[in-house]
Amino acid sequence: MSAPELQSGRAAGRRSAIRAVVALAVFAAILVAVYVARPDDFVLYIKAFHVIAVISWMAGLLYMPRLFIYHSDAEPGSAQSETFKMMEQRLLKIIMNPAMMITWALGLFLAWDVYEFQGGWLHAKIGLVVLLTMVHVLFSRAVRNFAADGPRKSPRYWRMMNEIPTLLMIGIVILVIVKPF
């Protein structure tokens, strides 16, 4: 990759990071405004923001293994491999990490304020979210490994790993909506 391409990639990365910071700042400002105003439907706003964060986090968790599948087939050091590295880093740092943190913060607030940490369904849900977080950590380690051109897992491995967030999401949604116990 030539120096101008790298510079434009870095500049584009900076612009993406700035846009992400602005978006997070706007999100935080809206959240603070709702918290300060404390409308009668305050909890519904928190639930809505929690769902928005969950959707963003899940989008990343479902997309990242697809990138890994394609990255596994790319020759280390090739332009294609370098592009995947950049995409993986940006997805992790700009979307997935903030979305996960917001999901956890708002989810724990709801568990404490609305449900007072009561209910077997809530404990099971938190357990599944812990497993989802472990998948996130596994993907984060894979991003670092790909960035270092370390040993690669096969595309088949990443296809199988792609199913884990989906299965955990199904369990979480059923627990939240049905509250079976």
Side-chain angles (χ1 to χ4, degrees):
M1 192 174 279
S2 70
E5 289 175 303
L6 282 175
Q7 289 173 348
S8 67
R10 287 188 189 118
R14 270 188 242 105
R15 287 190 303 272
S16 294
I18 290 168
R19 283 192 304 271
V21 167
V22 168
L24 280 172
V26 168
F27 185 82
I30 292 169
L31 192 57
V32 166
V34 169
Y35 182 78
V36 169
R38 283 287 182 151
D40 292 337
D41 51 359
F42 171 72
V43 169
L44 294 179
Y45 279 97
I46 299 303
K47 285 181 180 181
F49 294 142
H50 177 66
V51 170
I52 291 165
V54 169
I55 290 169
S56 299
W57 188 25
M58 285 305 304
L61 286 169
L62 296 172
Y63 185 49
M64 186 67 84
R66 297 304 312 168
L67 290 176
F68 293 159
I69 289 166
Y70 302 131
H71 197 165
S72 295
D73 286 334
E75 186 67 33
S78 67
Q80 187 180 30
S81 179
E82 296 305 310
T83 299
F84 284 125
K85 288 177 188 181
M86 180 180 55
M87 292 170 69
E88 292 157 359
Q89 287 285 338
R90 288 180 185 170
L91 178 60
L92 181 66
K93 291 181 178 182
I94 295 173
I95 296 172
M96 291 174 63
N97 287 344
M100 180 190 66
M101 289 184 265
I102 293 168
T103 296
W104 267 105
L106 296 178
L108 288 173
F109 175 82
L110 290 168
W112 168 68
D113 189 64
V114 176
Y115 302 107
E116 298 175 343
F117 286 105
Q118 300 296 312
W121 70 270
L122 180 61
H123 297 129
K125 177 204 174 199
I126 291 171
L128 292 180
V129 175
V130 167
L131 292 176
L132 202 57
T133 302
M134 292 169 63
V135 170
H136 180 108
V137 169
L138 175 80
F139 290 175
S140 298
R141 289 182 180 156
V143 167
R144 283 194 303 274
N145 187 51
F146 275 113
D149 288 325
R152 296 178 179 196
K153 305 272 189 202
S154 70
R156 178 183 161 104
Y157 171 84
W158 291 116
R159 281 186 188 91
M160 292 186 329
M161 290 304 295
N162 196 33
E163 303 307 321
I164 294 172
T166 303
L167 295 172
L168 291 170
M169 176 191 62
I170 290 167
I172 291 166
V173 169
I174 289 171
L175 287 168
V176 170
I177 301 299
V178 179
K179 295 179 180 61
F181 47 89

